[in-house]
Amino acid sequence: MSLRTVIKKATGQDVYTCQSCNDCDIGAREDMDIPLSSLIQLVLLNDEEALECRTLWSDSVLEASRGACKRGLDLHAVLLALREEYKKNPDI
Ligand code: SF4
């Protein structure tokens, strides 16, 4: 199952609607390695790096992700769904 489908099933959010506008920029943080918009692009590419990047596992990013997307994607729910997916298969 693709990461996009995993997220859609878990949250109803379709990351395909991301417009790569980068309006979800929450600024640089010590515990993040890629911007949220890049994380969504990795999901769209079904790249498992999405599950391993520091950005996904940063609690400060998770908190800042609430309402971060200005195009209606619930990034907070997306991040939680990705974390759950990784926990199901941590050997990725
Ligand atoms: S603000 Fe929303 S639509 Fe724009 S890049 Fe970020 S996630 Fe995608």
Side-chain angles (χ1 to χ4, degrees), residues 30-70:
E30 258 181 38
D31 55 353
M32 71 189 286
D33 48 4
I34 57 173
L36 283 170
S37 57
S38 299
L39 176 53
I40 299 302
Q41 293 308 307
L42 287 175
V43 170
L44 286 170
L45 293 169
N46 206 33
D47 187 329
E48 287 170 353
E49 176 64 22
L51 302 180
E52 296 181 325
C53 67
R54 294 181 70 210
T55 296
L56 177 62
W57 297 97
S58 161
D59 288 336
S60 72
V61 170
L62 183 65
E63 192 54 38
S65 69
R66 289 180 197 275
C69 175
K70 307 302 184 288

Side-chain angles (χ1 to χ4, degrees), residues 18-24 37 40 68-71 73 75:
C18 175
Q19 299 171 15
S20 304
C21 60
N22 207 29
D23 284 350
C24 52
S37 57
I40 299 302
C69 175
K70 307 302 184 288
R71 304 283 186 271
L73 265 178
L75 292 179

